[in-house]
Structure formats: C-alpha cells, structure tokens
Amino acid sequence: MTTHPVDEVPPARQLAAFGLQHVLAMYAGAVAVPLIVGSAMKLSPADLAYLITADLLVCGIATLIQCIGFWRFGVRLPIMQGCTFAAVSPMVLIGTTGGGLPAIYGSVIVAGLAIMLLAPVFGKLLRFFPPLVTGTVILIIGLSLLPVAGNWAAGGVGSADFGEPKNLGLAAFVLLVVLAVQRFAPVFLSRIAVLIGIVVGLAVAVPFGFTDFDGVGDADWLGISTPFHFGAPTFEFSAIVSMLVVALVTMTETTGDLIAVGEMTDRKVEPRSLADGLRADGLSTVLGGVFNTFPYTAYAQNVGLVGMTRVRSRWVVATAGGILVLLGLLPKLGAVVAAIPAPVLGGAGLVMFGTVAASGLRTLTQVDFKGNDNLTVVAVSVAVGMLPVGVPTVYEKFPDWFQTVMNSGISAGCLTAIVLNLLFNHLRPKPGSVAPEAAGLAGGGAEETVEKSREEAV
C-alpha cells in the first residue's frame, strides 16, 4: 500500500530545510502577539523577552501535537500553530484595566477547556462547508493576509522608515529571487524557494544596514518557561466572557484553515479529524495559559506555503515545531531569527499569501454558478470579509464582543458565507429558481454528493 504524501517522511536534509522555511514564514506573526500585549501593558524588556521565548516554546509544542497527534488530539496534517491575533484586543483590555497577566491567563485556560468541549460540535458542522463556502473562506484568508505582507514590505508597522523606496526595493528583490528559484532551479531547490529568498535577502540586507543584531548579544543562552511565572491565574467573569467569544472566532478560523490544508494535500478533512484538530487547539490554549503565553490557532501563513511548495508531508511541519521548541529554549537563536528585516519577510509573504487566495479560486471552480445565487454568496461574503481589512476602524463604535468577531476578516467572511449558503441553498428554494440539487456542490440536497466525493477522495 502506497504512503499518502501527507504521511511521507522526506530525507533529514530536506526535512530541516523545509521545516526552517515554515518557521521563517510564521516567526514574525508568532512574536507579534506577545510583543503587542506586553508593550501595551508596559512590561520590562526582560519580561517581554520571557513572553516571547514562552510563546515560541508553546508554539512548537502545539505544532507537534497538531501534526503528529496522540489519541483524539491533532488533525495530523501539515498545520503550523501560533498565537491568534483575534485575542490581542481583548487581552490588552483585560491586562490594562486592572486584571493584569494573571486575569489574562485565567481566561485563556477557561477558553482552552471550552474549545476542547465544543470540538465535537464543530466537527458535526462540516456539512455546512461545501466547496462554495470553503472556496470563499480560503479566498478571504489569502486576501486578508496580503496587507500583512504589504506592511512588512514597507518596513513594518511603526518603523521610522515605513514606505521608504529602499524597503520596497528589498522586498521586490526577495520576491524576484523566490520567483527565479521556483522557475529555474532544480525541483528540491524550487521547493525551498521562500527559504532561499529570505537567506539571499538577509545577505543583501546586512551590508546595507537593514539589520540590527544588538538584541542577539543581550539574549540569554538558555531560557526555561516555568508554569505561572507571573503569578497564579485569576478568573474574572468579564475577562472569561470576552475570551470565550475569541474561542469561537479562532475555532471558525481554524476550521477554515484545516479545510484549506485538506484541499491542498488531497486529504479531505472529515468531521472526526476536524474535531481532533480543534481539540488540539484547545489543549494548546490551556498550555498557553499555564506556561505564560496566549490562545493558539492554525496559522494561515503556512497554509500558503504548503500550497506554494507542494510539499505535503506533516513531518516537515512537525520538524518546524521542533525548531520552535529549540528557539524557545535558546533565546539567542530566537534573537537571530528576530533580526531578519521586515521587507525580506514581506517579499516572501506576497507570494505565500497570494497562493492562499489563488487556492480559494481553484476550489470555487468546483461550484456551479449557473441558474442559482451562488455568485451572490461569494460576492457578499468577500465584501464583508474585506471590510475590516480595508477599513480597520469600521466597527470601533460597536460593543467589544461584536468587534472581536467582526474585526477578523476571516471569521466575518466565514460566518457570512455559512449563513448565505444556508439561506440560498438549504432553505426552501424561491419559485422559478434551480433546485439546490441542481446547483452542483453548492449545498442543499447536495450534502450527500459532498460527503460521497469526500469518501471517494479519501
């Protein structure tokens, strides 16, 4: 019996290179959450460094749980885990209004337990994710990540030289290197095109003064994250409620990411494996609360990398998890990776995030758009998903819980796509329209078709 590409173990040399590429793709996003929360709470540089190393350690453990899995934990697909950005605003609010870090960690632990309990419920909702919904969600994931790559390319949000031509020039150079390697290099090298682009970009950045290695000298050689370093967790009702809303948002986002990776790797996500993946998210979030870090979710950046490189092995991402554990235990190594300039990551990010959006379009080609309202479902869902991306302050006058849900373009677009698909394809069809069964894989009576095609694919 042949091994599925997801379960293949590449040679050690390739594992290391592919794994490092995944780490570099998500590193900036991973350290951004502790940096933003810690800075907002005016923590000392030593405490900030502690938050970052704790985050990297748990990122690695969470990734290993998700990729390798044990019992009913882990989707066993190439999924990279990292801190969710959906939790940033609520955590800053909890941390700065008197509760401090112990209140944040109390709410994070409760949210993690809630995700584990709710995982089987979400698993049963998979029939409401036909290609019409999944394609739209994957498209929105890719589009909502592109501004992140744009900000990196311009020098990183808040940098003094934001938008300088030299920053965009460096990003464009890295993009050209990635494209050249992918087009002209041998197969193995073309699969690590992003890694080569980042290394070449870094080599060019050093003599031109883009990098600052001061932090490397200041970092410790060894750093162990101990449980409840900032004090025993406290459980405040308002903090827990806001973090439970975040939990629902991250579960929706993770569901979209898991389905996207399932599509890219030709191993469709089933209700049971989706529940296993979400349960791993919950366990990682509980570990986050115990080991002084934050809620965890699947990272869309790495979904793009899987699609772009066509390397589908989960052991590659498990290797990346191992590298993250090392970075978490050896702060000096982490400081070296942190010194990679934002424009270098921006050039690579443009290709990766664009790949996610293109994968969404590929999934939508399976959908029948004739004689039905499927085009409306896609149009409105993308519009709602892009609203907070294009106009970040659009919901600032709304209650906090509403902002938590709708400020994430991914969750806003995903919820809209699910509701509109139910409205147009699952409820009674309007007179004169094509029955849902005739709308191909769009929904309604086509659920059996979707399930059948899933079984055939597996």
Side-chain angles (χ1 to χ4, degrees), residues 174-195:
V174 171
L175 175 59
L176 289 173
V177 170
V178 171
L179 293 174
V181 171
Q182 208 172 356
R183 172 65 182 87
F184 299 109
V187 174
F188 168 65
L189 289 178
S190 72
R191 287 181 168 175
I192 53 167
V194 169
L195 177 60

Side-chain angles (χ1 to χ4, degrees), residues 59-83:
C59 268
I61 294 167
T63 300
L64 289 168
I65 294 170
Q66 195 67 278
C67 294
I68 298 172
F70 67 92
W71 189 53
R72 297 297 305 278
F73 291 87
V75 73
R76 295 166 176 84
L77 284 172
I79 287 283
M80 198 89 184
Q81 298 283 105
C83 278

Side-chain angles (χ1 to χ4, degrees), residues 131 268 366 441 448-458:
K268 292 278 195 292
Q366 302 170 33
L441 298 173
E448 293 86 10
T449 323
V450 176
E451 288 304 320
K452 197 170 163 196
S453 69
R454 281 208 172 99
E455 281 158 23
E456 283 166 5
V458 172

Side-chain angles (χ1 to χ4, degrees), residues 32 209 290 297 370:
V290 173
T297 186
K370 291 181 187 147

Side-chain angles (χ1 to χ4, degrees), residues 120-145:
V121 179
F122 256 72
K124 291 186 174 69
L125 297 178
L126 201 60
R127 67 196 188 95
F128 298 117
F129 285 86
L132 173 65
V133 174
T134 57
T136 305
V137 172
I138 298 167
L139 175 61
I140 291 168
I141 291 171
L143 293 176
S144 62
L145 283 171

Side-chain angles (χ1 to χ4, degrees), residues 337-431:
V337 179
I340 295 173
V344 171
L345 295 170
L350 286 169
V351 195
M352 293 188 302
F353 305 161
T355 303
V356 181
S359 300
L361 292 176
R362 187 176 61 194
T363 302
L364 285 171
T365 58
Q366 302 170 33
V367 179
D368 182 7
F369 287 102
K370 291 181 187 147
N372 55 43
D373 298 297
N374 288 342
L375 202 61
T376 305
V377 175
V378 177
V380 176
S381 303
V382 171
V384 172
M386 287 298 96
L387 202 55
V389 177
V391 191
T393 55
V394 67
Y395 299 122
E396 66 177 13
K397 298 280 195 290
F398 284 75
D400 290 339
W401 65 268
F402 185 89
Q403 288 188 49
T404 303
V405 177
M406 299 302 287
N407 270 342
S408 161
I410 297 170
S411 63
C414 186
L415 291 171
T416 307
I418 293 168
V419 170
L420 291 182
N421 179 50
L422 285 172
L423 178 67
F424 284 111
N425 292 319
H426 286 255
L427 302 177
R428 193 183 299 280
K430 63 187 178 188

Side-chain angles (χ1 to χ4, degrees), residues 170-262:
L170 179 59
F173 171 72
V174 171
L175 175 59
L176 289 173
V177 170
V178 171
L179 293 174
V181 171
Q182 208 172 356
R183 172 65 182 87
F184 299 109
V187 174
F188 168 65
L189 289 178
S190 72
R191 287 181 168 175
I192 53 167
V194 169
L195 177 60
I196 293 170
I198 290 172
V199 170
V200 172
L202 185 59
V204 169
V206 172
F208 284 98
F210 279 93
T211 47
D212 177 12
F213 288 104
D214 291 349
V216 179
D218 298 338
D220 295 327
W221 280 105
L222 193 65
I224 307 290
S225 183
T226 52
F228 308 126
H229 174 79
F230 295 99
T234 58
F235 300 93
E236 295 182 10
F237 181 73
S238 59
I240 288 168
V241 170
S242 63
M243 208 51 73
L244 288 174
V245 175
V246 170
L248 290 172
V249 173
T250 56
M251 288 177 87
T252 309
E253 288 186 357
T254 298
T255 300
D257 289 331
L258 296 184
I259 290 169
V261 170

